[in-house]
Every structure is written in C-alpha cells, then in structure tokens.
Amino acid sequence: MNEQDRQISEIVAGERSRLRNFIRRRVPDPSDVEDILQEVFYELVEANRLLMPIDHVTGWLFRVARNRITDLFRKKRPEAFSDAAHDMSGDEDGEVGRIEDLLPSLDAGPEALYVRNVLLDELEAALDELPDDPYGQREIFVAHELEGRSFKELSAESGVSVNTLLSRKRYAVLHLRERLQSIYDEFMNK
C-alpha cells in the first residue's frame, strides 16, 4: 500500500463514524445514508487521484456530504423546490416554499457555491439554537422542511395536533428568519 492509500485509509477510518452520524441526522433512509457516505469517500479518493489540494480534510468531507444530501432531496422532491414566495411556515397539507429556494444553485459557479455553503453552515448553527424537545421546534422543522414529511404524518406519529405542530414550525421559522436575515442580505445584495 503506497503512502497516499494509507493516508486515505486513515482518514476513512477516522472520520467514518462522525460523518455517518452527521448524514444520519439529516437523511431518514439508512440505505441513502450509506450511499451518501460512500459517495463522499469516493470523491475523496478522486480528489486525491487528481492531486487536488484539500487544506482541511474534515471540513471538506462534511461540505461534500452536505452537498450530496441536498442533491438527494432535490432528486427525490423536485416539485417541492418551487416558488420561494410561499410562506415557509406552511399549512395543514404541507404546502410550503423550501429553504432550498433561498440558496444559490449548485451550478452557479464557485462564488455561489461558497455563499451556499456559508448559508447552510449558518442554518445548521441556527437550527442548533432551537429547542430540541421531542416533536419540538427543531425536530418539527427538520422533519417537515428537510425530510419532506407532512404535518398529518407527524401528528399521527406523535399524537400532537396538526395546529400545534404548525405553531412550533412557525416559531422555528421566525427564529431562523431573524437569525439568518442579515447574512442572507449580505450575500444577496453584493
């Protein structure tokens, strides 16, 4: 085994568990989790093969994972990523605009990709500030907005009324809007 192969094996062994947990928190289907994990490590091998310099391997791996997760949700629910003018708090049928609508496209070039990644990092930090109670603001927001689950499904699963779930998501959205507005304005008004 040459030196590069040994280094990649060490990185894979050292980061596999953390990366899998990161993906698992965002992707409900275990087979999708494993697929994304393999794609991330494949990209690492390819980047190494092409001699692409990677300064911070761990950050790079998580950024690639985040992009693959976004690709997965875009592929599974392309019709959900329309009309950013909709109210993000949604209605009983789950008809809402998506966070994805507010992010620059992955195909819009390096600057847009940078902005997208900064916004996603800020979103993740803002989500971490939300209450993490069972079926609380964070869990409802993630389940509905990122996993695409309906309020009716969540209500049946939790025993919490749809109106209460709507209210919890509304509070989450208000917090996220307030928390992210300045950084969003900064990038979008350049």
Side-chain angles (χ1 to χ4, degrees):
M1 182 181 297
N2 70 30
E3 181 63 21
Q4 287 180 326
D5 290 343
R6 188 188 59 71
Q7 288 175 339
I8 288 178
S9 294
E10 287 175 6
I11 291 168
V12 169
E15 298 297 335
R16 179 181 294 277
S17 179
R18 282 182 50 213
L19 199 55
R20 180 182 285 122
N21 289 337
F22 174 82
I23 298 166
R24 190 180 294 143
R25 287 194 316 260
R26 290 156 177 79
V27 177
D29 184 349
S31 66
D32 287 337
V33 170
E34 290 304 314
D35 288 347
I36 290 171
L37 186 65
Q38 294 306 314
E39 287 176 28
V40 171
F41 288 130
Y42 173 79
E43 286 195 39
L44 175 65
V45 170
E46 282 299 301
N48 188 48
R49 187 179 68 79
L50 297 173
L51 303 175
M52 291 175 52
I54 301 173
D55 293 331
H56 303 285
V57 174
T58 300
W60 185 88
L61 290 170
F62 282 85
R63 190 169 49 252
V64 170
R66 193 176 298 113
N67 289 341
R68 294 299 76 75
I69 291 166
T70 300
D71 292 346
L72 172 73
F73 287 120
R74 180 178 283 155
K75 201 179 332 176
K76 285 192 173 187
R77 298 185 284 108
E79 70 283 352
F81 298 120
S82 61
D83 194 12
H86 277 101
D87 179 15
M88 298 290 284
S89 59
D91 62 21
E92 287 185 32
D93 296 321
E95 293 298 320
V96 297
R98 290 296 200 221
I99 294 264
E100 187 69 23
D101 296 326
L102 304 175
L103 297 172
S105 168
L106 286 170
D107 303 325
E111 185 176 329
L113 186 59
Y114 169 76
V115 170
R116 176 187 186 83
N117 288 331
V118 168
L119 289 171
L120 286 171
D121 288 342
E122 289 296 320
L123 173 63
E124 187 172 335
L127 280 171
D128 287 342
E129 295 169 359
L130 292 171
D132 192 22
D133 308 323
Y135 296 100
Q137 291 178 21
R138 182 182 343 173
E139 187 173 335
I140 296 305
F141 181 87
V142 169
H144 185 258
E145 188 67 29
L146 302 178
E147 296 172 1
R149 299 175 65 198
S150 74
F151 287 110
K152 289 177 183 174
E153 174 187 352
L154 293 167
S155 177
E157 179 182 295
S158 68
V160 177
S161 75
V162 169
N163 286 340
T164 300
L165 297 176
L166 283 165
S167 177
R168 289 177 184 170
K169 180 169 180 209
R170 179 177 175 277
Y171 284 116
V173 168
L174 291 174
H175 169 76
L176 294 172
R177 278 184 182 163
E178 181 179 323
R179 171 74 165 62
L180 299 173
Q181 189 64 51
S182 64
I183 190 140
Y184 181 79
D185 290 344
E186 178 182 328
F187 282 118
M188 294 306 158
N189 293 327
K190 278 188 166 182

